[in-house]
Amino acid sequence: MSIPTEAIGSIPRPPALQAALADHAEGRLATDELTKLQEQATAETLERLERLGSPVLVDGEQAKPSFVTYPLAGLTALAPDGAVIPFADGHTRQLPRLTAGPFRYGVHADSYLRSARRHTDMPVKQAVIAPSALSLLYPADGIEGYPREEFLRDLRDGAEADIRRCLEAGAHVVQLDFTEGRLSLKLDPSGGLLDEFVALNNEVLGRFGQAERARLGVHTCPGGDQDSTHSADVDYAQLLPKLFALKVGNFYVQLAGEADPERVLRIIADHLPPGARVFVGVTDPVDPVVETPEQVRDRVLAAARHIPVAQLGTCDDCGFSPFADDTSTSREVAFAKIEARVRGTALASEALGL
């Protein structure tokens, strides 16, 4: 046995792909040419991860517009003035607003997984957006002829299909991105919104059997965009007990960027469900300094003092560029951090006699 290690999802796009995305947005590049470059970037990402010794690969989300909006591709009943997400450095991201029903996924994540699996025989993990995040598309003042209850029913069906299609396509693990969990406590300190998010996600997760849930996971972090976060000032103690109520077998928890990781580890140890595995963040994508393998090793060993090794894994705190236009972290720095995570986790496994 050794300690498993996995990436969260996004990896910065190559400069040529970044330029192509800009050209495509301005109508200077055809869609088929952009698709070809995305496919090349996906293949190169998988090859580099395999070369670094990653036991589980990701496609780096090279073809996704963002980790949250991929299901909206091709949909027309959207307006640009949806929910605004403010980040600590002052910049914002804005979701679209749904203007009419019924809500249907325009793209399912298995399309990215199937593309990735054409380039490797290694296990491939697939990230999907949690239904709780997409629930923010529905406007507070409602939609005439399309009540919120009907929207949520359509959303639950779409989210189930998104997850199930990835499982059927052979995903090693399907990870729900739940960055809005911590953010919800900033929007509603009472915890009511978080309770709604957890209940919605569990309604979807409850549709899967125990064996399937062993291949499902949830990722939480305080956001990571342009080297800033949206909810790092929210106390993890408010989130984690409710996070561990989600019906999955794997939890991916941002930790390296926390001011007091030992305190967070104690909370995790108190609430981690029996049989579940927690992947703790050992590299910080928001910090431009590349961790050493020895630093990663020491972070893993600290976690092992609180969490049974059989329930422990490692990950990056969050994706390196969850929005396609984020160039704050270079591709080379991201791969260097990933290499440190892989090597440092192996050093910790050796130190623990695994």
Side-chain angles (χ1 to χ4, degrees):
M1 185 182 74
S2 61
I3 297 171
T5 188
E6 298 178 10
I8 290 301
S10 65
I11 293 172
R13 287 74 173 167
L17 180 53
Q18 288 283 359
L21 288 166
D23 287 344
H24 183 263
E26 296 295 328
R28 298 190 297 268
L29 184 72
T31 298
D32 59 344
E33 289 299 316
L34 176 63
T35 300
K36 186 184 302 182
L37 289 171
Q38 289 170 328
E39 184 85 4
Q40 291 172 356
T42 296
E44 196 263 348
T45 298
L46 294 163
E47 191 275 331
R48 286 192 69 170
L49 289 173
E50 185 170 354
R51 187 158 22 103
L52 292 178
S54 294
V56 176
L57 308 185
V58 295
D59 70 353
E61 299 187 337
Q62 302 297 289
K64 279 186 181 178
S66 80
F67 77 107
V68 64
T69 60
Y70 70 87
L72 309 181
L75 303 189
T76 57
L78 297 170
D81 57 343
V84 176
I85 302 171
F87 285 78
D89 66 353
H91 87 276
T92 62
R93 292 286 184 177
Q94 187 165 23
L95 297 176
R97 171 176 57 87
L98 191 67
T99 60
F103 174 72
R104 299 287 187 270
Y105 276 50
V107 170
H108 288 91
D110 69 300
S111 62
Y112 305 112
L113 175 62
R114 294 178 191 278
S115 175
R117 295 194 71 205
R118 289 199 294 268
H119 300 287
T120 183
D121 294 324
M122 294 280 291
V124 179
K125 170 184 179 177
Q126 182 59 52
V128 302
I129 189 60
S132 52
L134 294 178
S135 72
L136 297 172
L137 299 174
Y138 193 87
D141 55 357
I143 298 173
E144 185 177 355
Y146 190 51
R148 181 174 178 81
E149 293 75 15
E150 187 175 346
F151 161 73
L152 290 176
R153 184 166 57 248
D154 291 340
L155 174 58
R156 288 191 293 267
D157 290 345
E160 178 192 0
D162 202 30
I163 297 168
R164 196 171 296 283
R165 288 169 63 145
C166 291
L167 290 174
E168 292 172 350
H172 173 72
V173 170
V174 180
Q175 170 194 289
L176 278 70
D177 287 327
F178 187 46
T179 183
E180 70 280 4
R182 200 165 178 180
L183 177 63
S184 72
L185 290 164
K186 195 166 191 175
L187 302 175
D188 176 15
S190 75
L193 182 58
L194 176 59
D195 289 341
E196 291 179 17
F197 282 173
V198 170
L200 174 59
N201 291 338
N202 267 343
E203 287 182 51
V204 174
L205 295 167
R207 299 181 180 187
F208 295 88
Q210 185 173 356
E212 292 170 317
R213 289 184 205 170
R215 293 169 59 201
L216 301 182
V218 169
H219 168 238
T220 184
C221 72
D225 181 46
Q226 298 180 18
D227 284 348
S228 187
T229 62
H230 55 53
S231 54
D233 53 340
V234 173
D235 191 343
Y236 247 153
Q238 297 176 266
L239 171 67
L240 292 177
K242 295 181 178 181
L243 177 82
F244 289 122
L246 288 167
K247 300 174 182 177
V248 295
N250 304 280
F251 296 90
Y252 302 84
V253 178
Q254 173 263 354
L255 184 64
E258 285 296 301
D260 189 354
E262 289 285 339
R263 176 174 176 266
V264 177
L265 286 166
R266 289 193 294 269
I267 298 171
I268 292 173
D270 287 342
H271 296 280
L272 182 64
R277 186 183 298 276
V278 60
F279 291 76
V280 297
V282 292
T283 57
D284 183 1
V286 173
D287 186 348
V289 177
V290 176
E291 295 83 357
T292 67
E294 290 75 21
Q295 286 175 310
V296 170
R297 175 200 62 200
D298 292 345
R299 290 172 178 175
V300 180
L301 294 178
R305 291 195 290 269
H306 297 271
I307 300 164
V309 173
Q311 292 182 268
L312 180 62
T314 68
C315 61
D316 309 302
D317 269 2
C318 60
F320 288 92
S321 55
F323 296 89
D325 62 356
D326 182 5
T327 59
S328 58
T329 300
S330 75
R331 192 165 169 86
E332 295 308 314
V333 165
F335 280 118
K337 284 177 172 278
I338 289 168
E339 182 177 15
R341 170 173 52 78
V342 172
R343 292 177 58 196
T345 302
L347 290 174
S349 294
E350 292 173 9
L352 291 166
L354 301 177

Short mmCIF file of all heavy atoms in Angstrom, two decimals, residues 137-188:
data_model
loop_
_atom_site.label_atom_id
_atom_site.label_comp_id
_atom_site.label_asym_id
_atom_site.label_seq_id
_atom_site.Cartn_x
_atom_site.Cartn_y
_atom_site.Cartn_z
N LEU A 137 -27.76 29.63 -11.18
CA LEU A 137 -28.19 30.20 -12.46
C LEU A 137 -29.62 30.72 -12.39
O LEU A 137 -30.01 31.62 -13.15
CB LEU A 137 -28.12 29.14 -13.57
CG LEU A 137 -26.76 28.54 -13.89
CD1 LEU A 137 -26.91 27.41 -14.90
CD2 LEU A 137 -25.81 29.61 -14.42
N TYR A 138 -30.42 30.16 -11.49
CA TYR A 138 -31.85 30.51 -11.44
C TYR A 138 -32.00 31.85 -10.72
O TYR A 138 -31.50 32.03 -9.61
CB TYR A 138 -32.65 29.42 -10.72
CG TYR A 138 -34.14 29.56 -10.90
CD1 TYR A 138 -34.79 29.00 -11.99
CD2 TYR A 138 -34.90 30.27 -9.97
CE1 TYR A 138 -36.16 29.12 -12.16
CE2 TYR A 138 -36.27 30.41 -10.13
CZ TYR A 138 -36.90 29.84 -11.22
OH TYR A 138 -38.26 29.97 -11.39
N PRO A 139 -32.71 32.83 -11.32
CA PRO A 139 -32.81 34.16 -10.73
C PRO A 139 -33.69 34.19 -9.48
O PRO A 139 -34.64 33.43 -9.35
CB PRO A 139 -33.42 35.00 -11.86
CG PRO A 139 -34.16 34.01 -12.70
CD PRO A 139 -33.39 32.74 -12.62
N ALA A 140 -33.37 35.12 -8.58
CA ALA A 140 -34.10 35.23 -7.33
C ALA A 140 -35.57 35.60 -7.55
O ALA A 140 -36.44 35.19 -6.77
CB ALA A 140 -33.43 36.28 -6.44
N ASP A 141 -35.87 36.34 -8.62
CA ASP A 141 -37.25 36.74 -8.87
C ASP A 141 -38.01 35.74 -9.75
O ASP A 141 -39.13 36.00 -10.18
CB ASP A 141 -37.30 38.14 -9.50
CG ASP A 141 -36.47 38.24 -10.78
OD1 ASP A 141 -35.81 37.24 -11.15
OD2 ASP A 141 -36.47 39.32 -11.41
N GLY A 142 -37.40 34.58 -10.00
CA GLY A 142 -38.10 33.51 -10.71
C GLY A 142 -38.14 33.68 -12.21
O GLY A 142 -37.64 34.68 -12.77
N ILE A 143 -38.72 32.70 -12.87
CA ILE A 143 -38.90 32.70 -14.32
C ILE A 143 -40.36 32.37 -14.61
O ILE A 143 -40.86 31.33 -14.16
CB ILE A 143 -37.98 31.69 -15.02
CG1 ILE A 143 -36.51 32.03 -14.76
CG2 ILE A 143 -38.26 31.63 -16.52
CD1 ILE A 143 -35.54 30.98 -15.29
N GLU A 144 -41.03 33.22 -15.32
CA GLU A 144 -42.45 33.02 -15.61
C GLU A 144 -42.66 31.71 -16.38
O GLU A 144 -41.99 31.45 -17.39
CB GLU A 144 -43.01 34.19 -16.42
CG GLU A 144 -44.51 34.11 -16.67
CD GLU A 144 -45.04 35.32 -17.41
OE1 GLU A 144 -44.26 36.27 -17.65
OE2 GLU A 144 -46.25 35.32 -17.73
N GLY A 145 -43.55 30.87 -15.86
CA GLY A 145 -43.85 29.61 -16.52
C GLY A 145 -42.86 28.50 -16.23
O GLY A 145 -43.00 27.39 -16.75
N TYR A 146 -41.85 28.78 -15.41
CA TYR A 146 -40.82 27.78 -15.10
C TYR A 146 -40.43 27.94 -13.63
O TYR A 146 -39.42 28.57 -13.31
CB TYR A 146 -39.61 27.95 -16.01
CG TYR A 146 -38.59 26.82 -15.94
CD1 TYR A 146 -38.95 25.48 -16.08
CD2 TYR A 146 -37.23 27.11 -15.76
CE1 TYR A 146 -38.02 24.46 -16.04
CE2 TYR A 146 -36.28 26.10 -15.73
CZ TYR A 146 -36.68 24.77 -15.87
OH TYR A 146 -35.74 23.77 -15.82
N PRO A 147 -41.21 27.40 -12.73
CA PRO A 147 -40.94 27.59 -11.30
C PRO A 147 -39.63 26.94 -10.87
O PRO A 147 -39.12 26.01 -11.51
CB PRO A 147 -42.13 26.92 -10.62
CG PRO A 147 -42.68 25.98 -11.63
CD PRO A 147 -42.41 26.59 -12.97
N ARG A 148 -39.10 27.42 -9.77
CA ARG A 148 -37.81 26.94 -9.27
C ARG A 148 -37.83 25.43 -9.00
O ARG A 148 -36.85 24.73 -9.27
CB ARG A 148 -37.43 27.68 -7.98
CG ARG A 148 -36.07 27.26 -7.41
CD ARG A 148 -35.67 28.11 -6.22
NE ARG A 148 -34.40 27.66 -5.66
CZ ARG A 148 -33.20 27.95 -6.14
NH1 ARG A 148 -33.10 28.73 -7.21
NH2 ARG A 148 -32.10 27.50 -5.56
N GLU A 149 -38.93 24.92 -8.49
CA GLU A 149 -39.02 23.49 -8.20
C GLU A 149 -38.84 22.66 -9.46
O GLU A 149 -38.18 21.61 -9.45
CB GLU A 149 -40.36 23.16 -7.54
CG GLU A 149 -40.56 23.75 -6.16
CD GLU A 149 -40.84 25.26 -6.19
OE1 GLU A 149 -41.17 25.78 -7.27
OE2 GLU A 149 -40.71 25.90 -5.13
N GLU A 150 -39.40 23.15 -10.57
CA GLU A 150 -39.24 22.43 -11.84
C GLU A 150 -37.81 22.53 -12.34
O GLU A 150 -37.24 21.54 -12.85
CB GLU A 150 -40.21 22.99 -12.88
CG GLU A 150 -40.24 22.20 -14.18
CD GLU A 150 -41.30 22.71 -15.15
OE1 GLU A 150 -42.17 23.49 -14.72
OE2 GLU A 150 -41.24 22.33 -16.33
N PHE A 151 -37.20 23.70 -12.18
CA PHE A 151 -35.80 23.86 -12.55
C PHE A 151 -34.92 22.90 -11.76
O PHE A 151 -34.03 22.24 -12.33
CB PHE A 151 -35.36 25.31 -12.30
CG PHE A 151 -33.86 25.49 -12.22
CD1 PHE A 151 -33.07 25.42 -13.35
CD2 PHE A 151 -33.24 25.72 -10.99
CE1 PHE A 151 -31.69 25.58 -13.28
CE2 PHE A 151 -31.86 25.89 -10.91
CZ PHE A 151 -31.09 25.82 -12.06
N LEU A 152 -35.13 22.81 -10.46
CA LEU A 152 -34.30 21.93 -9.63
C LEU A 152 -34.48 20.48 -10.02
O LEU A 152 -33.53 19.69 -9.98
CB LEU A 152 -34.61 22.14 -8.15
CG LEU A 152 -34.17 23.49 -7.56
CD1 LEU A 152 -34.63 23.62 -6.12
CD2 LEU A 152 -32.65 23.67 -7.66
N ARG A 153 -35.69 20.10 -10.41
CA ARG A 153 -35.91 18.73 -10.87
C ARG A 153 -35.11 18.46 -12.14
O ARG A 153 -34.45 17.42 -12.28
CB ARG A 153 -37.40 18.49 -11.11
CG ARG A 153 -37.75 17.06 -11.49
CD ARG A 153 -39.24 16.79 -11.38
NE ARG A 153 -40.03 17.72 -12.19
CZ ARG A 153 -40.84 18.65 -11.69
NH1 ARG A 153 -40.92 18.82 -10.38
NH2 ARG A 153 -41.55 19.44 -12.49
N ASP A 154 -35.14 19.41 -13.08
CA ASP A 154 -34.35 19.26 -14.30
C ASP A 154 -32.86 19.25 -14.00
O ASP A 154 -32.08 18.49 -14.61
CB ASP A 154 -34.67 20.40 -15.27
CG ASP A 154 -36.08 20.32 -15.86
OD1 ASP A 154 -36.66 19.21 -15.83
OD2 ASP A 154 -36.57 21.36 -16.32
N LEU A 155 -32.44 20.10 -13.06
CA LEU A 155 -31.03 20.17 -12.69
C LEU A 155 -30.56 18.86 -12.07
O LEU A 155 -29.47 18.36 -12.41
CB LEU A 155 -30.81 21.33 -11.71
CG LEU A 155 -29.41 21.47 -11.10
CD1 LEU A 155 -28.35 21.63 -12.18
CD2 LEU A 155 -29.37 22.66 -10.14
N ARG A 156 -31.35 18.29 -11.17
CA ARG A 156 -30.97 17.01 -10.56
C ARG A 156 -30.81 15.92 -11.61
O ARG A 156 -29.86 15.14 -11.58
CB ARG A 156 -32.00 16.60 -9.50
CG ARG A 156 -31.96 17.44 -8.23
CD ARG A 156 -32.80 16.83 -7.13
NE ARG A 156 -34.22 16.86 -7.43
CZ ARG A 156 -35.05 17.84 -7.06
NH1 ARG A 156 -34.59 18.88 -6.38
NH2 ARG A 156 -36.33 17.78 -7.36
N ASP A 157 -31.74 15.88 -12.56
CA ASP A 157 -31.65 14.87 -13.63
C ASP A 157 -30.40 15.09 -14.48
O ASP A 157 -29.71 14.13 -14.85
CB ASP A 157 -32.90 14.92 -14.51
CG ASP A 157 -34.15 14.43 -13.79
OD1 ASP A 157 -34.02 13.77 -12.74
OD2 ASP A 157 -35.26 14.70 -14.30
N GLY A 158 -30.12 16.35 -14.80
CA GLY A 158 -28.94 16.65 -15.62
C GLY A 158 -27.65 16.31 -14.90
O GLY A 158 -26.72 15.78 -15.50
N ALA A 159 -27.58 16.63 -13.60
CA ALA A 159 -26.37 16.35 -12.83
C ALA A 159 -26.15 14.85 -12.69
O ALA A 159 -25.01 14.36 -12.79
CB ALA A 159 -26.46 17.01 -11.47
N GLU A 160 -27.24 14.11 -12.44
CA GLU A 160 -27.10 12.65 -12.36
C GLU A 160 -26.55 12.09 -13.66
O GLU A 160 -25.63 11.25 -13.66
CB GLU A 160 -28.44 12.00 -12.04
CG GLU A 160 -28.34 10.47 -12.00
CD GLU A 160 -29.71 9.77 -11.97
OE1 GLU A 160 -30.74 10.45 -11.98
OE2 GLU A 160 -29.71 8.53 -11.96
N ALA A 161 -27.11 12.55 -14.78
CA ALA A 161 -26.64 12.06 -16.08
C ALA A 161 -25.18 12.42 -16.30
O ALA A 161 -24.41 11.62 -16.84
CB ALA A 161 -27.51 12.64 -17.20
N ASP A 162 -24.77 13.61 -15.88
CA ASP A 162 -23.38 14.04 -16.07
C ASP A 162 -22.43 13.10 -15.33
O ASP A 162 -21.41 12.66 -15.88
CB ASP A 162 -23.23 15.47 -15.53
CG ASP A 162 -22.04 16.20 -16.12
OD1 ASP A 162 -21.67 15.92 -17.28
OD2 ASP A 162 -21.50 17.09 -15.43
N ILE A 163 -22.77 12.77 -14.09
CA ILE A 163 -21.94 11.87 -13.29
C ILE A 163 -21.98 10.45 -13.85
O ILE A 163 -20.94 9.79 -14.03
CB ILE A 163 -22.40 11.87 -11.82
CG1 ILE A 163 -22.24 13.26 -11.21
CG2 ILE A 163 -21.65 10.83 -11.01
CD1 ILE A 163 -22.94 13.43 -9.88
N ARG A 164 -23.19 9.97 -14.11
CA ARG A 164 -23.35 8.57 -14.54
C ARG A 164 -22.65 8.31 -15.86
O ARG A 164 -22.03 7.26 -16.07
CB ARG A 164 -24.84 8.22 -14.62
CG ARG A 164 -25.11 6.73 -14.68
CD ARG A 164 -26.59 6.42 -14.54
NE ARG A 164 -27.15 6.79 -13.25
CZ ARG A 164 -26.97 6.09 -12.13
NH1 ARG A 164 -26.23 5.00 -12.15
NH2 ARG A 164 -27.52 6.50 -11.01
N ARG A 165 -22.73 9.26 -16.78
CA ARG A 165 -22.07 9.07 -18.07
C ARG A 165 -20.56 8.97 -17.92
O ARG A 165 -19.90 8.22 -18.64
CB ARG A 165 -22.46 10.21 -19.02
CG ARG A 165 -23.90 10.11 -19.51
CD ARG A 165 -24.37 11.36 -20.23
NE ARG A 165 -23.60 11.61 -21.45
CZ ARG A 165 -24.12 12.13 -22.56
NH1 ARG A 165 -25.41 12.42 -22.61
NH2 ARG A 165 -23.36 12.36 -23.60
N CYS A 166 -20.00 9.72 -16.96
CA CYS A 166 -18.56 9.63 -16.71
C CYS A 166 -18.18 8.28 -16.11
O CYS A 166 -17.15 7.69 -16.47
CB CYS A 166 -18.10 10.75 -15.79
SG CYS A 166 -18.18 12.40 -16.55
N LEU A 167 -19.00 7.78 -15.17
CA LEU A 167 -18.74 6.45 -14.62
C LEU A 167 -18.79 5.40 -15.72
O LEU A 167 -17.93 4.51 -15.78
CB LEU A 167 -19.76 6.14 -13.53
CG LEU A 167 -19.65 6.94 -12.22
CD1 LEU A 167 -20.82 6.60 -11.30
CD2 LEU A 167 -18.33 6.67 -11.51
N GLU A 168 -19.80 5.48 -16.56
CA GLU A 168 -19.96 4.49 -17.63
C GLU A 168 -18.84 4.59 -18.66
O GLU A 168 -18.50 3.59 -19.31
CB GLU A 168 -21.32 4.67 -18.29
CG GLU A 168 -22.49 4.30 -17.37
CD GLU A 168 -23.84 4.66 -17.96
OE1 GLU A 168 -23.87 5.37 -19.02
OE2 GLU A 168 -24.87 4.27 -17.38
N ALA A 169 -18.25 5.79 -18.80
CA ALA A 169 -17.15 5.97 -19.75
C ALA A 169 -15.81 5.53 -19.17
O ALA A 169 -14.78 5.66 -19.83
CB ALA A 169 -17.08 7.42 -20.20
N GLY A 170 -15.82 5.05 -17.91
CA GLY A 170 -14.61 4.48 -17.34
C GLY A 170 -13.78 5.41 -16.49
O GLY A 170 -12.58 5.15 -16.29
N ALA A 171 -14.38 6.47 -15.96
CA ALA A 171 -13.63 7.36 -15.08
C ALA A 171 -13.10 6.60 -13.87
O ALA A 171 -13.82 5.80 -13.27
CB ALA A 171 -14.50 8.51 -14.62
N HIS A 172 -11.85 6.86 -13.52
CA HIS A 172 -11.29 6.27 -12.30
C HIS A 172 -12.06 6.78 -11.09
O HIS A 172 -12.44 6.02 -10.19
CB HIS A 172 -9.82 6.65 -12.19
CG HIS A 172 -9.18 6.25 -10.90
ND1 HIS A 172 -8.89 4.94 -10.59
CD2 HIS A 172 -8.78 6.99 -9.83
CE1 HIS A 172 -8.34 4.88 -9.39
NE2 HIS A 172 -8.26 6.11 -8.90
N VAL A 173 -12.29 8.09 -11.05
CA VAL A 173 -13.08 8.77 -10.04
C VAL A 173 -13.80 9.93 -10.72
O VAL A 173 -13.26 10.53 -11.65
CB VAL A 173 -12.20 9.32 -8.89
CG1 VAL A 173 -13.01 10.23 -7.96
CG2 VAL A 173 -11.58 8.20 -8.08
N VAL A 174 -15.01 10.21 -10.28
CA VAL A 174 -15.72 11.42 -10.72
C VAL A 174 -15.75 12.37 -9.52
O VAL A 174 -16.27 12.03 -8.46
CB VAL A 174 -17.14 11.11 -11.20
CG1 VAL A 174 -17.83 12.40 -11.65
CG2 VAL A 174 -17.11 10.12 -12.36
N GLN A 175 -15.18 13.54 -9.69
CA GLN A 175 -15.05 14.53 -8.61
C GLN A 175 -16.01 15.69 -8.83
O GLN A 175 -15.97 16.36 -9.87
CB GLN A 175 -13.61 15.05 -8.59
CG GLN A 175 -13.39 16.25 -7.68
CD GLN A 175 -12.07 16.89 -7.96
OE1 GLN A 175 -11.02 16.35 -7.66
NE2 GLN A 175 -12.09 18.07 -8.58
N LEU A 176 -16.87 15.95 -7.86
CA LEU A 176 -17.76 17.10 -7.91
C LEU A 176 -17.02 18.31 -7.35
O LEU A 176 -16.53 18.28 -6.22
CB LEU A 176 -19.02 16.87 -7.08
CG LEU A 176 -20.16 16.08 -7.72
CD1 LEU A 176 -19.78 14.61 -7.87
CD2 LEU A 176 -21.44 16.22 -6.89
N ASP A 177 -16.92 19.37 -8.15
CA ASP A 177 -16.31 20.60 -7.69
C ASP A 177 -17.34 21.40 -6.90
O ASP A 177 -18.39 21.77 -7.43
CB ASP A 177 -15.78 21.42 -8.87
CG ASP A 177 -14.52 20.81 -9.47
OD1 ASP A 177 -13.74 20.22 -8.70
OD2 ASP A 177 -14.33 20.91 -10.68
N PHE A 178 -17.03 21.66 -5.63
CA PHE A 178 -17.97 22.26 -4.68
C PHE A 178 -17.35 23.48 -4.02
O PHE A 178 -17.47 23.68 -2.82
CB PHE A 178 -18.36 21.19 -3.64
CG PHE A 178 -19.46 21.59 -2.68
CD1 PHE A 178 -20.61 22.21 -3.10
CD2 PHE A 178 -19.30 21.33 -1.32
CE1 PHE A 178 -21.61 22.57 -2.21
CE2 PHE A 178 -20.30 21.67 -0.41
CZ PHE A 178 -21.46 22.30 -0.86
N THR A 179 -16.70 24.33 -4.82
CA THR A 179 -16.07 25.53 -4.26
C THR A 179 -17.09 26.49 -3.67
O THR A 179 -16.77 27.30 -2.79
CB THR A 179 -15.21 26.23 -5.32
OG1 THR A 179 -14.53 27.34 -4.75
CG2 THR A 179 -16.06 26.71 -6.48
N GLU A 180 -18.34 26.39 -4.15
CA GLU A 180 -19.38 27.27 -3.63
C GLU A 180 -19.81 26.91 -2.21
O GLU A 180 -20.53 27.68 -1.55
CB GLU A 180 -20.60 27.26 -4.56
CG GLU A 180 -21.41 25.98 -4.58
CD GLU A 180 -20.79 24.90 -5.45
OE1 GLU A 180 -19.69 25.11 -5.99
OE2 GLU A 180 -21.44 23.85 -5.60
N GLY A 181 -19.36 25.75 -1.71
CA GLY A 181 -19.70 25.36 -0.35
C GLY A 181 -19.18 26.35 0.68
O GLY A 181 -19.94 26.87 1.51
N ARG A 182 -17.90 26.65 0.63
CA ARG A 182 -17.31 27.61 1.57
C ARG A 182 -17.83 29.02 1.30
O ARG A 182 -18.11 29.79 2.22
CB ARG A 182 -15.79 27.55 1.48
CG ARG A 182 -15.07 28.12 2.70
CD ARG A 182 -13.62 27.70 2.71
NE ARG A 182 -12.88 28.26 3.84
CZ ARG A 182 -11.58 28.03 4.05
NH1 ARG A 182 -10.90 27.25 3.22
NH2 ARG A 182 -10.97 28.57 5.10
N LEU A 183 -17.99 29.33 0.00
CA LEU A 183 -18.51 30.65 -0.36
C LEU A 183 -19.91 30.87 0.19
O LEU A 183 -20.26 32.00 0.58
CB LEU A 183 -18.52 30.79 -1.88
CG LEU A 183 -19.10 32.09 -2.45
CD1 LEU A 183 -18.27 33.30 -2.01
CD2 LEU A 183 -19.18 32.01 -3.97
N SER A 184 -20.72 29.83 0.27
CA SER A 184 -22.10 29.98 0.73
C SER A 184 -22.16 30.53 2.15
O SER A 184 -23.10 31.26 2.51
CB SER A 184 -22.83 28.63 0.67
OG SER A 184 -22.38 27.74 1.68
N LEU A 185 -21.15 30.21 2.96
CA LEU A 185 -21.12 30.70 4.34
C LEU A 185 -20.76 32.18 4.41
O LEU A 185 -21.05 32.85 5.41
CB LEU A 185 -20.14 29.87 5.16
CG LEU A 185 -20.61 28.44 5.42
CD1 LEU A 185 -19.45 27.56 5.89
CD2 LEU A 185 -21.74 28.44 6.45
N LYS A 186 -20.16 32.69 3.36
CA LYS A 186 -19.91 34.13 3.28
C LYS A 186 -21.18 34.85 2.83
O LYS A 186 -21.50 35.93 3.32
CB LYS A 186 -18.76 34.39 2.30
CG LYS A 186 -18.17 35.79 2.39
CD LYS A 186 -16.85 35.83 1.63
CE LYS A 186 -16.11 37.12 1.93
NZ LYS A 186 -14.77 37.13 1.30
N LEU A 187 -21.90 34.21 1.91
CA LEU A 187 -23.15 34.80 1.43
C LEU A 187 -24.26 34.70 2.48
O LEU A 187 -25.11 35.59 2.57
CB LEU A 187 -23.59 34.09 0.14
CG LEU A 187 -22.59 34.12 -1.02
CD1 LEU A 187 -23.10 33.27 -2.18
CD2 LEU A 187 -22.36 35.56 -1.48
N ASP A 188 -24.23 33.63 3.26
CA ASP A 188 -25.26 33.39 4.27
C ASP A 188 -24.60 32.77 5.50
O ASP A 188 -24.55 31.55 5.64
CB ASP A 188 -26.35 32.46 3.71
CG ASP A 188 -27.39 32.10 4.75
OD1 ASP A 188 -27.46 32.77 5.80
OD2 ASP A 188 -28.15 31.13 4.51
#
